[in-house]
């Protein structure tokens, strides 16, 4: 099933989708190829996901490219991931810019090679004024790191007298998190068959819908993405309210629109 953008109410679509892109290594091993081959094939799925979100008018797409725990992987695989990341930034950013995509790298990039950090800064500078899809790539990112980083930022303001302890609220923390200026996360997808979020967007995912699929990331095409969006649309998001309250709010909205 492939969604038709014209047949769907824009209000029913998620504004912000995040994906844990899992299964590259297993996809390659099943084909008796090195794990690096799976990571390279996964880039094709990234292109497809970006095009799909742009076509549907989704505001933000956040991809988990490299977690803070991925440094524990074999050295040759980490090296391949760094080289692939550098290659993608070198070759794909101009295409993203041409299609009005704004690229944001979220996470602690200070541990990356200087050449890679320079490419990140160049990509931000080139696409920073674009008004289309916001593509967030989480690199050396962890949800706990994000929360701690936000808490430390507020703690420094308390230390200097800019804030009182009572000013450290949920909203204050949210405003110091990654992607604070973007729409809240609506849908979190994980490919590859595992049922966990692996320290990804812990704070942002508090009220997100979760969708897990057995599909390995290199096979996650437009049809698979469509199925995830269709599942999201079919759910009733209550945010602590009852279903009846939500239906009443929807009815009132339809009456006034």
């Amino acid at each position: 099933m492939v969604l038709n953008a014209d047949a769907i109410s824009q209000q029913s679509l998620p504004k912000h989708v995040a994906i844990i892109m899992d299964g590259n290594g297993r996809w390659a091993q099943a084909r008796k190829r090195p794990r690096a081959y799976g990571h390279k094939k996964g880039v094709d799925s990234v292109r497809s996901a970006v095009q799909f979100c742009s076509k549907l008018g989704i505001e933000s797409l956040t991809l988990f490219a490299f977690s803070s725990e991925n440094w524990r992987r074999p050295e040759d695989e980490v090296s391949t991931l760094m080289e692939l990341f550098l290659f993608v930034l070198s070759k794909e950013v101009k295409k993203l810019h041409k299609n009005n995509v704004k690229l944001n790298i979220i996470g602690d990039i200070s541990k990356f090679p200087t050449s890679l950090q320079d490419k990140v800064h160049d990509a931000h500078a080139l696409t920073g004024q674009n008004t289309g899809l916001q593509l967030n790539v989480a690199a050396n990112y962890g949800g706990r790191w994000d929360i701690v980083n936000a808490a430390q930022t507020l703690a420094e303001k308390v230390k200097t007298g800019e804030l009182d302890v009572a000013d450290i609220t949920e909203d204050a923390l949210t405003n110091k998190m990654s992607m604070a200026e973007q729409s809240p996360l609506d849908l979190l997808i994980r490919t590859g068959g595992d049922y966990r979020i692996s320290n990804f967007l812990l704070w942002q995912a508090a009220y997100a819908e979760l969708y897990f699929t057995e599909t390995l990331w290199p096979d996650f095409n437009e049809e698979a993405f469509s199925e995830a969006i269709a599942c999201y649309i079919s759910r009733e998001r209550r945010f602590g309210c009852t279903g009846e309250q939500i239906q009443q709010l929807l009815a009132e909205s339809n009456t006034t629109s």
Side-chain angles (χ1 to χ4, degrees):
M1 177 184 122
V2 177
L3 295 176
N4 183 339
D6 295 330
I8 303 169
S9 165
Q10 198 67 36
Q11 292 181 337
S12 65
L13 289 170
K15 291 183 173 63
H16 189 164
V17 178
I19 306 178
I20 300 173
M21 306 178 293
D22 197 15
N24 289 335
R26 283 173 285 155
W27 184 91
Q29 289 171 339
R31 289 158 178 78
K32 299 185 179 351
R33 302 293 295 271
R35 290 175 61 87
Y37 179 70
H39 293 305
K40 291 175 182 176
K41 287 297 293 184
V43 174
D44 293 336
S45 294
V46 170
R47 293 192 192 101
S48 174
V50 170
Q51 292 169 1
F52 180 78
C53 288
S54 295
K55 184 165 61 176
L56 280 185
I58 290 170
E59 294 178 8
S60 297
L61 172 65
T62 302
L63 303 176
F64 205 8
F66 190 87
S67 77
S68 51
E69 288 79 25
N70 283 157
W71 294 107
R72 302 170 187 165
R73 292 191 175 190
E75 186 175 343
D76 59 339
E77 183 172 353
V78 171
S79 178
T80 297
L81 287 169
M82 292 297 105
E83 291 173 6
L84 184 60
F85 198 17
L86 186 60
F87 172 81
V88 169
L89 283 173
S90 301
K91 300 296 182 182
E92 300 291 327
V93 171
K94 289 183 180 179
K95 295 179 185 177
L96 295 174
H97 181 53
K98 183 179 179 180
N99 288 283
N100 199 31
V101 175
K102 181 178 180 179
L103 178 64
N104 309 295
I105 307 299
I106 63 172
D108 181 9
I109 67 168
S110 65
K111 292 186 178 181
F112 290 151
T114 302
S115 58
L116 185 51
Q117 293 183 48
D118 290 342
K119 289 293 183 182
V120 169
H121 295 314
D122 291 345
H124 286 172
L126 179 63
T127 68
Q129 300 304 312
N130 291 345
T131 58
L133 174 71
Q134 296 220 44
L135 175 60
N136 309 298
V137 177
N140 196 27
Y141 174 91
R144 292 176 178 175
W145 166 87
D146 204 356
I147 295 169
V148 169
N149 194 53
Q152 289 177 341
T153 300
L154 293 178
E156 283 294 329
K157 291 184 178 296
V158 171
K159 184 179 178 180
T160 59
E162 296 176 64
L163 287 178
D164 291 328
V165 172
D167 295 326
I168 301 179
T169 62
E170 287 189 20
D171 286 343
L173 274 168
T174 297
N175 289 335
K176 298 301 180 184
M177 295 283 176
S178 300
M179 307 178 298
E181 74 287 355
Q182 299 180 40
S183 296
L185 181 62
D186 294 312
L187 172 63
L188 175 58
I189 299 168
R190 180 172 187 142
T191 65
D194 286 330
Y195 293 80
R196 56 180 177 271
I197 61 175
S198 297
N199 194 25
F200 184 45
L201 302 179
L202 297 180
W203 184 272
Q204 295 88 340
Y207 278 102
E209 293 294 317
L210 306 182
Y211 179 87
F212 300 97
T213 175
E214 298 289 329
T215 303
L216 302 177
W217 177 245
D219 292 327
F220 192 80
N221 55 20
E222 184 170 311
E223 183 175 358
F225 207 156
S226 293
E227 290 176 1
I229 298 294
C231 182
Y232 170 87
I233 292 171
S234 72
R235 298 181 187 180
E236 181 182 70
R237 305 187 76 202
R238 296 193 291 271
F239 299 100
C241 299
T242 65
E244 290 78 7
Q245 286 175 308
I246 296 296
Q247 292 302 322
Q248 183 179 350
L249 287 171
L250 289 172
E252 291 172 355
S253 175
N254 291 334
T255 300
T256 57
S257 61

